[in-house]
Amino acid sequence: MPADDAAELWKLNQRLLTRVMNAAAPQLEELGLETKEFFVLDEVDACKYPAELTRKLMLPKASVTTYLRNLVERGLVRREIDETDLRRHRLMTTPEGQRVRAKALEALASEFSTMMARLDERDQSELRRMLLRLLETE
């Protein structure tokens, strides 16, 4: 694939994601979340340590620290000392954090479903297959 075509596809994908996030922003704000805070909250259970979150989300350490501090203050995330390494803090979502994350995912899914409705069922299945293929790890 020529570089120009790949760049255009990347930009189109980015525009789609941005459009969905912008459409869902009011619902996220009602839940007390900024967009990037949502991404941090959504990954806490998969990435138990702040350094893992920084690597996975490709965000600066200072930003992740700020987002985590906000999430902890609002009772959405809990920090605990890791008993296997007392120098580390392990993260976990609280029940309230799980509820807020679920509501935020519902808002994003609703906005994305609106866009996906423009495609017929076959095209939706094909898009899913292609995205899964692109995200396969070696």
Side-chain angles (χ1 to χ4, degrees):
M1 170 181 284
D4 287 349
D5 290 347
E8 180 184 9
L9 285 173
W10 184 86
K11 289 190 306 185
L12 289 169
N13 184 59
Q14 186 62 33
R15 281 177 46 202
L16 173 65
L17 296 175
T18 300
R19 192 174 285 180
V20 170
M21 291 304 299
N22 287 341
Q27 294 97 312
L28 294 180
E29 287 174 20
E30 285 177 20
L31 293 167
L33 289 177
E34 293 179 21
T35 302
K36 289 183 181 175
E37 286 177 336
F38 162 73
F39 288 116
V40 172
L41 179 63
D42 190 44
E43 291 295 336
V44 163
D45 289 336
C47 300
K48 297 288 187 193
Y49 303 99
E52 288 178 30
L53 281 169
T54 299
R55 282 190 302 273
K56 176 131 188 205
L57 297 173
M58 296 187 303
L59 291 171
K61 184 177 180 179
S63 296
V64 170
T65 299
T66 299
Y67 299 139
L68 283 172
R69 186 176 328 125
N70 294 341
L71 293 168
V72 168
E73 285 175 6
R74 287 198 302 266
L76 304 178
V77 171
R78 187 172 65 237
R79 286 182 188 259
E80 294 181 350
I81 298 292
D82 185 338
E83 293 181 14
T84 63
D85 183 347
L86 299 177
R87 298 168 295 175
R88 294 173 61 171
H89 285 93
R90 187 177 54 236
L91 305 167
M92 60 190 61
T93 55
T94 64
E96 178 64 7
Q98 293 167 4
R99 185 192 70 77
V100 167
R101 181 182 58 214
K103 290 284 189 192
L105 285 169
E106 285 176 23
L108 290 165
S110 174
E111 295 299 336
F112 191 66
S113 290
T114 298
M115 298 185 110
M116 288 295 287
R118 299 174 187 166
L119 302 176
D120 65 30
E121 197 171 312
R122 187 175 67 70
D123 286 344
Q124 289 181 28
S125 293
E126 184 64 9
L127 178 59
R128 173 190 289 275
R129 185 195 64 74
M130 289 186 292
L131 290 172
L132 288 171
R133 178 67 188 262
L134 289 170
L135 294 171
E136 285 178 357
T137 58
E138 294 180 22

